[in-house]
Amino acid sequence: MATPTSPVQLRCNYFENPLGVHDATPRLSWRLATGDRRGARQTAYRIVVSTARSGKADLWDSGRVRSDATTQVAYGGKPLASHQRAWWKVESWDEKNRRSESTPSFWEAGLLARTEWRGSWIGAALAGGPETGAPSPYLRTIFNVGKKVASARLFATALGLYEFHLNGERVGSDVFTPGWTEYKKRVQYQSYDVTSLLRPGANAAGAVLGDGWYCGHLGWRERNYYGERPQLLAQLVLTFTDGSTQTIVTDGAWKTSFGPIVESDMIHGEAHDARRELRGWDEPGYDDSAWLPVTKFADPAIEISPTLGPLVRATQELKPIAPPVKIDLWPAPIWVFDMGQNMVGRVRLHVRGKAGQVVRLRFAEVINKDGSLYTENLRAARQTDHYILRGDPRGETWESKFTFHGFRYVELNGHADDLLPDAITGVVLHSDTPRTGTFSCSDPLINQLQSNIDWGQRGNFLEVPTDCPQRNERLGWMGDAQVFSRTAAWNRDVAGFFNKWQRDISDAQGAEGQMPSVAPHIKGVEQDGGPAWADAAAICPWTMYLCYADQALLATHFDSLTRFIDYMEDQSKGLIRSHPDTKVWHGYGDWLALDGSGNVFGNTPKDLIGTAMFAYSTSLVAKMARVLKRTKEAVHYERLAARIRQAYQDRFLTADGLAAGLTQTSYVLTLSFDLAPVALRPKLMRELVRDIEARANKLTTGFVGASYLPHVLSRFGRADIAYKLLHQKAWPSWLYAVTQGATTIWERWDGWTKENGFQDKGMNSFNHYAYGAIGSWLYAVVAGVDIDPATPGFKRLVLAPQPGGELTSARGTLQSPHGQITSAWKISAGRFEWEVTVPANTTASARFPVPGKAKISEGRTPLARAAGLSAVKSSVSAVTCELSAGHYKFTATWKAA
Ligand code: BGC
């Protein structure tokens, strides 16, 4: 029985029922729940927006719009006032003109004007020094509620980190709020519905502050990079049932005390003295007579902006995989716990002991042969927590608040012999980007690789895409994020995350238009990030546009991107970027490539990488201009891109198909960005393949080349070579680390080798996602699910698996903006079986990797007569067709190549 199409999963700017929206025209999206009905699609919609849950359309009625759009539909109604709620629902008509309706959802405006923030920035007077931290201030106030509360909203932010409490309860479950932004320009705030936390009569509001990125250690720098003390700004707005309101703000009436958090630092760790805990500090009846008045700080005069991306949350807990290993040391033994997974977050400690006893926790990604922690690669990051027991005979439990660590192993030191069985639990923290993709295949090592990629992503997508989560670095390195962004968007829903980070990038843009190496930018790191790093500014938003059809992201940042391209043009010499004659930073080369005889930049000429990336970014900005219908700019940047290509050909390519530097990366970039004339491409491919084969099917590429390498090989007909690289188990290869027990992606191909042991301790992270960029190839080519760039956001899919190598099956699934996509194939007994799901309201072009004469059926029906198919075409090597929405099970005769 056919199910009518019904709109579900209503989202506003990627979030379900968000608060704190500033956008005057937020974008509305929904999915169609249709079961697997073939050809299910929407033919029209109507959006009704009202001030009341079941009210009439007093804010907006789109009217019946004949359209199949279900994502990114801009709200076109009356502007909302600050903290006004808009209720919305969707009516949708399907292909048979049957109407169905969603249940109502809402979004709510935030505090829209800076001037509406009526409170003061408050905190404690004590400040730490460049190396010494100060204890975390606790802040509180009390207020009276005399009438019946209809609704209450908390708007809060901090310079530093805050955790807000109301009447003994923690508000929300977000971690490290308000998040990390370019604090010199802006800080984010959060909005919470706190209606249920208020009581009639006396109420208490309070917050604990931490140093965080704002005044703790940042990267390898000393403390106090942005400021000296954490400060809170908050506003609690109560609306009573009679319509009147009451506003409580942070002001001089608040009081402060230090409590148990003696020190906290994102890089070094946290120290908690449980004897100093302030029981009931967030309750109205608490005696705060010993507390001091807060210090009021000058308004920092920066923007207070809405939260655009997902905040950090605890998303999973891990138990050690074996009993801890005891190492006898004087004066007390230490225990080493193995979490079984290199993870990012904190631990929950459960201990029993005497008051004043100190437990020290140290964290590391790997261990030495004798089982002790290997911490040299953490550089100066202490990654150490201290817990001082209060001596509760029933045992005591503690989790840090304002720090995180990258670790698989936890060392517990300073505890007598009676360890409790659940002494350590790992709490996984990251920006809450729900999983959208899965990939699996017949090779367990590749499945472990996929798991390592996803864990690397989770650990490093923490407020900004960081390079690594453990050493004293943890910065938003642009090159790493750029190569990985497409893979990231497969694994998880990162639309909001990259929207937020793009704002950080624009904030970090230099006055002349240059884009940095890291965003947020910090002093000492190049302001012009140079090739492949700065270019993240153009590549990431374009990737998000392809994956989520997010035009608004392009529109918001378009001007900043044209300034970036113009800057590169200015700095180039004859359109050669990073020309040796120019004075600007020539970039990080093909970072960590193995063709450079120990040189971290590799051997690919920096001006070749520079000019290739310049051409690529320029072509992306030209495409953005087309999408945004800015024809004048489109023509300008298309022409510029063509001129850069010409300059590239003149300088770097020979008529014989050699590319300067003769490195794999030189060939890969030339081919990937279409920089060579069409006729030259086969010759370039031959050189690339020759180089790989001459090295017994090994790669030499670094951060820049590695991500494009497999795509280039399969695109130009040599998927067989890409599979050889994928299956390669000797280093350098993707699987080498896997065979050595890695559970995340390593920074270097040779982070540890049997021959040489650990690589240079100064730069050897075991959780660096950059080489995980192979993930996009696993999904797009092995499983065979890709985007049609002309119809982005998976509105039209390209399904074209290229089975190969030693694989006998592969399965990729994706929760796309339109619903679940599946492509799963299996080869057995002379048959190729292919299961495909095309979500409702989308279409797909499908390519069967079988010769035209193969017999193909769908279920029991021969292909030509199967329902939902059209335009079936056969060639010597493949059969192609168009698919409408639905679930299909194809079988084809298969002859091994
Ligand atoms: C980071 C990298 C980054 C690089 C720039 C390193 O310290 O960890 O991932 O991209 O510097 O070359």
Side-chain angles (χ1 to χ4, degrees):
M1 244 263 322
T3 5
T5 310
S6 56
V8 294
Q9 295 185 25
L10 274 59
R11 298 268 192 285
C12 170
N13 288 352
Y14 302 115
F15 295 100
E16 207 179 319
N17 299 333
L19 306 183
V21 174
H22 279 218
D23 217 334
T25 57
R27 286 150 297 134
L28 307 175
S29 304
W30 57 96
R31 290 181 191 175
L32 302 176
T34 59
D36 285 335
R37 196 172 79 241
R38 290 266 161 103
R41 67 198 165 86
Q42 174 183 285
T43 52
Y45 70 81
R46 176 179 172 217
I47 298 172
V48 171
V49 189
S50 22
T51 45
R53 187 166 207 268
S54 49
K56 53 178 178 347
D58 53 355
L59 289 170
W60 190 43
D61 186 342
S62 70
R64 189 175 189 275
V65 183
R66 285 173 66 91
S67 161
D68 64 355
T70 57
T71 67
Q72 309 280 359
V73 179
Y75 168 67
K78 290 186 196 146
L80 301 190
S82 278
H83 48 92
Q84 187 181 354
R85 177 176 290 197
W87 285 96
W88 66 290
K89 63 182 181 192
V90 181
E91 295 169 41
S92 172
W93 286 264
D94 72 6
E95 72 281 5
K96 297 218 169 99
N97 210 23
R98 290 171 297 194
R99 178 188 160 282
S100 56
E101 191 177 301
S102 73
T103 53
S105 283
F106 63 82
W107 80 89
E108 220 173 84
L111 274 191
L112 298 177
R114 180 71 165 79
T115 49
E116 285 179 274
W117 287 92
R118 295 189 1 225
S120 305
W121 293 86
I122 60 168
L126 189 66
E131 283 300 335
T132 332
S136 275
Y138 282 64
L139 313 170
R140 65 176 252 122
T141 194
I142 45 173
F143 59 96
N144 194 58
V145 174
K147 292 194 247 178
K148 200 162 170 354
V149 176
S151 76
R153 294 290 176 272
L154 169 70
F155 305 101
T157 185
L159 295 171
L161 305 175
Y162 75 89
E163 188 186 281
F164 209 92
H165 289 234
L166 260 178
N167 295 324
E169 302 269 350
R170 193 183 154 192
V171 174
S173 56
D174 305 322
V175 180
F176 305 145
T177 46
W180 183 16
T181 46
E182 180 52 78
Y183 294 127
K184 289 176 181 158
K185 285 196 180 153
R186 103 178 52 243
V187 64
Q188 299 190 134
Y189 75 94
Q190 283 76 45
S191 311
Y192 294 101
D193 182 347
V194 291
T195 315
S196 65
L197 297 179
L198 292 167
R199 306 169 180 167
N203 284 257
V208 197
L209 303 185
D211 292 349
W213 297 277
Y214 180 75
C215 49
H217 287 88
L218 188 66
W220 49 82
R221 301 194 64 97
E222 294 181 328
R223 294 180 74 256
N224 300 351
Y225 181 69
Y226 298 101
E228 290 184 340
R229 298 172 185 83
Q231 306 164 27
L232 175 76
L233 177 69
Q235 186 150 326
L236 185 59
V237 182
L238 316 186
T239 308
F240 299 107
T241 45
D242 66 4
S244 62
T245 62
Q246 178 184 348
T247 303
I248 295 99
V249 298
T250 42
D251 59 18
W254 287 55
K255 295 175 93 177
T256 183
S257 165
F258 295 117
I261 304 178
V262 183
E263 199 174 14
S264 76
D265 187 276
M266 295 300 245
I267 302 266
H268 291 313
E270 191 159 303
H272 184 101
D273 185 344
R275 296 168 304 179
R276 299 173 50 101
E277 276 167 9
L278 308 163
R279 300 250 136 184
W281 70 277
D282 49 3
E283 302 268 6
Y286 181 77
D287 175 11
D288 63 11
S289 52
W291 287 39
L292 301 170
V294 289
T295 304
K296 284 211 272 176
F297 298 100
D299 188 312
I302 55 174
E303 284 186 47
I304 303 177
S305 299
T307 303
L308 294 186
L311 292 161
V312 175
R313 294 193 186 99
T315 62
Q316 191 180 344
E317 296 196 349
L318 299 180
K319 294 278 179 210
I321 53 169
V325 175
K326 186 176 176 190
I327 302 179
D328 275 312
L329 284 183
W330 187 87
I334 58 173
W335 278 271
V336 176
F337 294 78
D338 180 359
M339 307 311 294
Q341 171 64 53
N342 198 15
M343 57 166 279
V344 174
R346 59 189 178 211
V347 295
R348 183 174 320 119
L349 174 71
H350 186 48
V351 282
R352 191 164 45 211
K354 288 197 277 300
Q357 190 176 327
V358 183
V359 169
R360 188 183 75 183
L361 298 169
R362 294 200 309 145
F363 300 83
E365 297 183 291
V366 280
I367 45 175
N368 294 306
K369 280 208 191 87
D370 65 359
S372 61
L373 300 196
Y374 176 81
T375 54
E376 280 84 338
N377 70 329
L378 304 178
R379 303 197 307 220
R382 285 201 298 274
Q383 283 220 132
T384 303
D385 294 343
H386 289 91
Y387 179 75
I388 305 173
L389 279 72
R390 59 173 180 271
D392 190 330
R394 291 161 304 170
E396 44 203 283
T397 305
W398 173 73
E399 261 178 62
S400 62
K401 277 191 201 308
F402 300 127
T403 191
F404 68 94
H405 312 297
F407 62 99
R408 171 172 170 170
Y409 299 93
V410 184
E411 177 199 282
L412 191 155
N413 179 330
H415 200 277
D417 264 320
D418 57 341
L419 264 195
L420 297 176
D422 54 349
I424 294 288
T425 306
V427 180
V428 177
L429 300 176
H430 56 95
S431 288
D432 193 1
T433 48
R435 182 195 293 281
T436 46
T438 64
F439 173 85
S440 59
C441 67
S442 52
D443 183 340
L445 291 178
I446 297 172
N447 294 341
Q448 182 64 44
L449 173 67
Q450 167 62 23
S451 167
N452 296 3
I453 296 169
D454 187 52
W455 274 100
Q457 174 168 347
R458 291 171 80 181
N460 282 300
F461 277 37
L462 196 147
E463 271 301 314
V464 306
T466 59
D467 54 338
C468 58
Q470 74 297 79
R471 69 180 180 224
N472 58 344
E473 187 143 5
R474 313 183 191 188
L475 300 174
W477 279 100
M478 309 253 293
D480 311 37
Q482 172 266 108
V483 298
F484 189 72
S485 55
R486 184 70 170 257
T487 301
W490 281 109
N491 288 332
R492 288 168 181 275
D493 178 353
V494 293
F497 183 82
F498 274 97
N499 262 265
K500 181 264 176 189
W501 193 52
Q502 195 70 26
R503 185 174 65 184
D504 298 335
I505 293 176
S506 287
D507 282 350
Q509 183 169 26
E512 296 156 60
Q514 65 272 55
M515 289 294 185
S517 312
V518 294
H521 181 247
I522 65 167
K523 270 193 230 137
V525 182
E526 301 297 334
Q527 172 75 62
D528 170 357
W533 269 252
D535 297 272
I539 296 170
C540 293
W542 181 252
T543 306
M544 294 308 122
Y545 166 72
L546 291 179
C547 296
Y548 304 102
D550 192 338
Q551 279 193 27
L553 178 65
L554 303 185
T556 307
H557 298 282
F558 185 74
D559 291 340
S560 123
L561 293 178
T562 56
R563 289 204 296 126
F564 167 51
I565 304 291
D566 298 348
Y567 167 82
M568 286 191 283
E569 187 180 357
D570 271 4
Q571 299 295 323
S572 69
K573 183 175 174 191
L575 296 180
I576 299 299
R577 181 183 183 199
S578 301
H579 193 290
D581 292 348
T582 58
K583 290 270 176 299
V584 286
W585 166 238
H586 293 159
Y588 303 96
D590 186 18
W591 187 244
L592 299 183
L594 292 174
D595 50 23
S597 343
N599 161 6
V600 287
F601 299 119
N603 246 349
T604 309
K606 287 187 175 178
D607 49 348
L608 180 146
I609 300 178
T611 312
M613 299 305 303
F614 178 26
Y616 184 50
S617 288
T618 305
S619 71
L620 295 184
V621 170
K623 285 183 189 173
M624 294 178 198
R626 288 276 169 218
V627 170
L628 299 172
K629 304 203 166 42
R630 296 178 70 149
T631 313
K632 214 175 87 213
E633 286 101 332
V635 171
H636 172 76
Y637 291 107
E638 280 158 8
R639 287 194 183 140
L640 177 60
R643 284 168 47 227
I644 303 168
R645 268 195 298 277
Q646 189 58 54
Y648 183 91
Q649 292 172 11
D650 294 347
R651 184 171 169 91
F652 302 115
L653 303 183
T654 72
D656 257 0
L658 299 179
L662 306 175
T663 64
Q664 293 178 8
T665 293
S666 302
Y667 293 105
V668 165
L669 297 184
T670 308
L671 288 160
S672 184
F673 303 151
D674 297 333
L675 300 174
V678 178
L680 201 60
R681 292 177 190 172
K683 290 185 181 169
L684 290 156
M685 266 302 283
R686 215 162 41 227
E687 294 303 327
L688 172 61
V689 170
R690 198 200 312 278
D691 188 277
I692 296 170
E693 286 180 333
R695 296 170 196 275
N697 297 315
K698 287 193 188 154
L699 49 74
T700 57
T701 44
F703 276 29
V704 178
S707 64
Y708 300 107
L709 174 62
H711 289 279
V712 162
L713 290 168
S714 52
R715 177 179 156 202
F716 292 99
R718 296 309 304 267
D720 59 323
I721 302 287
Y723 273 107
K724 284 186 179 150
L725 294 174
L726 175 65
H727 287 301
Q728 177 62 266
K729 290 180 197 70
W731 75 274
S733 71
W734 282 283
L735 289 188
Y736 177 71
V738 175
T739 64
Q740 299 310 308
T743 57
T744 38
I745 301 291
W746 295 353
E747 177 172 26
R748 294 171 175 263
W749 297 118
D750 55 348
W752 184 90
T753 59
K754 283 184 207 130
E755 304 87 303
N756 305 324
F758 288 115
Q759 244 282 11
D760 173 10
K761 63 180 194 257
M763 219 182 59
N764 196 20
S765 139
F766 292 95
N767 193 356
H768 237 73
Y769 58 69
Y771 287 141
I774 178 85
S776 70
W777 189 78
L778 298 177
Y779 282 107
V781 179
V782 181
V785 183
D786 212 345
I787 296 164
D788 177 353
T791 319
F794 295 95
K795 181 82 176 88
R796 193 181 132 82
L797 336 172
V798 178
L799 299 170
Q802 296 191 38
E806 296 153 29
L807 299 186
T808 53
S809 69
R811 162 181 284 267
T813 67
L814 181 72
Q815 277 302 329
S816 78
H818 300 281
Q820 160 108 10
I821 301 170
T822 309
S823 171
W825 56 263
K826 191 161 98 190
I827 296 166
S828 65
R831 275 147 53 107
F832 173 75
E833 289 167 37
W834 190 21
E835 193 189 326
V836 160
T837 311
V838 180
N841 206 37
T842 69
T843 56
S845 80
R847 183 180 186 278
F848 297 80
V850 296
K853 55 180 196 289
K855 280 202 197 73
I856 310 180
S857 54
E858 200 281 301
R860 298 222 182 111
T861 319
L863 194 67
R865 283 194 277 121
L869 268 79
S870 58
V872 181
K873 287 193 195 107
S874 301
S875 73
V876 188
S877 56
V879 176
T880 57
C881 68
E882 293 293 304
L883 298 178
S884 60
H887 186 73
Y888 301 83
K889 276 189 169 163
F890 300 108
T891 310
T893 49
W894 176 268
K895 251 218 202 111

